[in-house]
Amino acid sequence: MTPSTSDADATGTAPGSHIERSHYPQASTLEDLQRNLAAVQARITAACQRVGRDPASVRLLPVSKTMDEARIRLSYAAGCRQWGENKVQEAHRKWQAMADLADVRWSVIGHLQTNKAKLVARFATEFQALDSLRLAQALDQHLRAQGRVLDVFVQVNTSGEASKYGLPPQDVAAFLQALPAFPALRVRGLMTLALLSPETARVRQCFIGLRTLRDQLRASAPAGLCLDGLSMGMSGDFEIAIEEGATVVRVGQAIFGARALPDSHYWPNEPAEPAHQN
């Protein structure tokens, strides 16, 4: 697949830009969710067709953060079988409340403090924000105690913003070399959060940077580490991410509807984190 830049870059904004899609109607019924999921999937298909990719090569990860159990169960009825959550305690509560849904998977996609690794090891099937060896060690220890393994993506800060978590690109190679020491972690690829900007070219560069880094690292990565996955792109920019090679897109608001309040409203006692537009 050879990614290509869309015609929208000539004007600086794209059909999926942060500005144009900053508002999404609330999905409160099964029909709403079915319609939104179909619309997102159609956008995924169209983005793949623009660059000659198979739409089946892109996994849609619905982001259910801040959504209540009733809304998530509606999305299950609409066909969702995996959800992404930013806060591990919130995700753990939902996992417990919906234990009757035996065929679902929970992906933790937000920054994780080491002292909460035990919770992730208990229930999550995927963790997309691995960015320190201390955290890798804690996860591995708790996972082995549980007799479990965990798919992980290494988070990379491709925008260079101090407000974002993730490893600097130049540190990723050495980080990967250390990961075979933690056999309960199954590396599946790299993850990034793009710059939140209406300037498509700047957003696109974050995705190009992650893909380029992944391609460079493949030759030197330790045996057994899979770098095929690129988790990048959210509600406002996932089409651009797909054009640049994303294999996982994390989409919340385009499915569930816009969140009227900032993250700090939902988690007032948590340390401040960078703004997300899942």
Side-chain angles (χ1 to χ4, degrees):
M1 186 274 297
T2 303
S4 62
T5 301
S6 71
D7 292 339
D9 279 320
T11 60
T13 58
S17 72
H18 293 290
I19 295 302
E20 185 172 332
R21 298 190 182 274
S22 60
H23 175 73
Y24 302 92
Q26 289 297 309
S28 56
T29 68
L30 175 59
E31 291 73 21
D32 290 341
L33 286 163
Q34 289 172 328
R35 182 177 60 250
N36 288 353
L37 283 164
V40 169
Q41 193 58 58
R43 291 167 61 190
I44 289 173
T45 298
C48 286
Q49 289 174 341
R50 286 195 291 273
V51 291
R53 295 184 61 188
D54 180 356
S57 67
V58 179
R59 169 163 58 102
L60 171 61
L61 176 58
V63 176
S64 54
K65 72 173 188 178
T66 77
M67 297 298 121
D68 60 22
E69 180 183 344
R71 295 276 293 285
I72 298 175
R73 285 184 180 272
L74 275 180
S75 71
Y76 179 88
C80 297
R81 293 297 181 269
Q82 183 174 23
W83 298 289
E85 289 280 340
N86 282 68
K87 299 292 185 179
V88 64
Q89 289 170 309
E90 178 184 354
H92 187 256
R93 288 194 300 270
K94 292 174 179 177
W95 168 73
Q96 289 178 313
M98 289 179 276
D100 57 301
L101 304 180
D103 59 339
V104 304
R105 293 161 51 90
W106 293 92
S107 178
V108 176
I109 62 176
H111 177 70
L112 182 67
Q113 296 173 342
T114 305
N115 62 2
K116 295 177 182 174
K118 188 175 183 178
L119 277 182
V120 170
R122 186 177 301 165
F123 78 98
T125 53
E126 182 176 77
F127 176 57
Q128 292 202 10
L130 184 65
D131 62 359
S132 79
L133 291 179
R134 186 164 171 258
L135 179 57
Q137 182 178 28
L139 285 168
D140 183 72
Q141 177 184 342
H142 291 303
L143 285 161
R144 284 191 285 162
Q146 296 270 348
R148 303 183 70 235
V149 294
L150 182 69
D151 289 344
V152 298
F153 285 69
V154 174
Q155 184 171 357
V156 184
N157 185 345
T158 55
S159 70
E161 295 170 279
S163 62
K164 282 191 170 69
Y165 292 103
L167 293 164
Q170 65 271 20
D171 292 351
V172 177
F175 185 75
L176 293 177
Q177 292 297 323
L179 291 184
F182 312 111
L185 303 182
R186 299 190 301 197
V187 178
R188 296 305 189 200
L190 307 178
M191 183 273 263
T192 199
L193 295 163
L195 189 73
L196 187 65
S197 170
E199 298 180 45
T200 302
R202 297 180 67 196
V203 174
R204 187 181 295 276
Q205 194 57 50
C206 295
F207 301 141
I208 293 172
L210 193 71
R211 186 192 74 237
T212 302
L213 177 65
R214 187 273 310 274
D215 293 347
Q216 292 171 345
L217 292 171
R218 273 179 160 160
S220 60
L225 261 65
C226 175
L227 295 181
D228 291 344
L230 291 176
S231 178
M232 55 189 196
M234 299 185 286
S235 286
D237 57 19
F238 70 83
E239 289 146 308
I240 305 169
I242 289 170
E243 291 172 355
E244 299 304 337
T247 64
V248 182
V249 291
R250 310 179 302 272
V251 180
Q253 296 188 83
I255 295 172
F256 291 99
R259 301 180 196 93
L261 299 168
D263 287 0
S264 58
H265 169 81
Y266 300 102
W267 305 294
N269 298 319
E270 293 285 340
E273 293 200 5
H276 293 290
Q277 296 294 322
N278 300 105

